Amino acid sequence: MPAFDAAWAAGAAWIEADVQPTADGVPVMLHDDDVDRTTNGRGPVRSIGRDALEQLDAGAWFGPQFAGTRVPLLDQLLGTITAGRSLLLEIKGPHTRRQLETVIEAIAARRPAGTVFLESFEVPALELVRQLLPTEPVGLLVERIGDDPVADCRRLGATAYNPHVLDLLDHPDLVAELHESGIAVMVWTADHPELWAALTELGVDAIITNDPGALVTWQAARQV
């Protein structure tokens, strides 16, 4: 939560975060498949129940001032999305229908429509989302750009294609091609001004970064 709060305070209109289920099916915000790197616990996220997960220290690894920070539940993060804030939510890893229903139910209960945009590398998860929310836009995350990104998006009903920054820069014509088909481009993960400049020149719709404060400042300086 301190990272999300810092992004909001820096003026980011969107944050990006990953959601996955605990052993007892509670959606929590954690990037890694296991808790080893970012908490004082051990083991896969999906093998740990909510109560045990909430006892872990998820801040001390980053700095002593963050000791005692907990792994946030999706519901807790959704509670911070007030007017002017939106969430790019990655469905992390495979999900069952029920696990996705739990995520969707949490969003529906806490947030107005349009403030949460779902994305995933997991094609089966996106296909399930389309069944559950046939009119809701989704984003297709990709490790590598496919042979026909437009067709991939159309098949899934995806309105955004989200490739890696270096892969996109190797395929600069792709942005215009996707835009011609009404598909947005949200690129991950660019942390340096030279990359931001190149992506901005290409006309990408969103830049996912680990340093939103610096990106917001850089964008503001370009508009002066």
Side-chain angles (χ1 to χ4, degrees), residues 2-223:
F4 299 140
D5 290 340
W8 298 134
W14 287 77
I15 59 170
E16 191 272 351
D18 303 346
V19 65
Q20 54 185 312
T22 60
D24 44 355
V26 178
V28 297
M29 313 310 303
L30 210 148
H31 173 275
D32 295 2
D33 294 334
D34 57 54
V35 300
D36 298 27
R37 181 175 66 91
T38 59
T39 79
N40 60 342
R42 292 291 181 270
V45 178
R46 296 170 186 236
S47 71
I48 303 171
R50 167 184 173 167
D51 291 346
L53 192 78
E54 288 191 308
Q55 299 306 310
L56 300 180
D57 186 326
W61 70 277
F62 193 77
Q65 68 272 38
F66 299 108
T69 298
R70 304 303 175 194
V71 176
L73 307 181
L74 172 60
D75 194 60
Q76 293 171 328
L77 175 57
L78 291 171
T80 71
I81 302 176
T82 54
R85 297 178 175 182
S86 298
L87 170 63
L88 179 59
L89 184 63
E90 179 184 341
I91 301 165
K92 188 77 172 193
H95 277 61
T96 66
R97 186 182 186 92
R98 182 57 198 146
Q99 287 167 344
L100 281 174
E101 286 174 343
T102 302
V103 170
I104 291 168
E105 288 164 4
I107 295 169
R110 296 282 285 183
R111 296 276 39 92
T115 57
V116 179
F117 188 93
L118 296 173
E119 63 170 358
S120 186
F121 290 101
E122 306 291 336
V123 169
L126 291 177
E127 290 173 337
L128 276 173
V129 170
R130 299 301 297 164
Q131 292 176 25
L132 296 166
L133 298 171
T135 62
E136 192 74 13
V138 296
L140 174 60
L141 278 161
V142 293
E143 296 281 358
R144 298 291 298 177
I145 290 172
D147 293 335
D148 193 341
V150 171
D152 292 339
C153 288
R154 284 178 173 162
R155 181 173 62 83
L156 290 167
T159 60
Y161 191 75
N162 304 352
H164 185 270
V165 53
L166 298 182
D167 204 11
L168 183 66
L169 291 176
D170 285 340
H171 299 80
D173 295 337
L174 181 59
V175 177
E177 180 184 346
L178 288 163
H179 282 174
E180 287 173 5
S181 297
I183 300 166
V185 181
M186 303 178 180
V187 64
W188 60 277
T189 299
D191 293 334
H192 303 289
E194 60 268 25
L195 294 176
W196 300 338
L199 294 169
T200 300
E201 289 301 315
L202 287 179
V204 301
D205 300 278
I207 297 172
I208 299 170
T209 181
N210 290 309
D211 197 348
L215 175 58
V216 168
T217 299
W218 179 87
Q219 289 174 326
R222 283 175 61 93
Q223 295 172 0

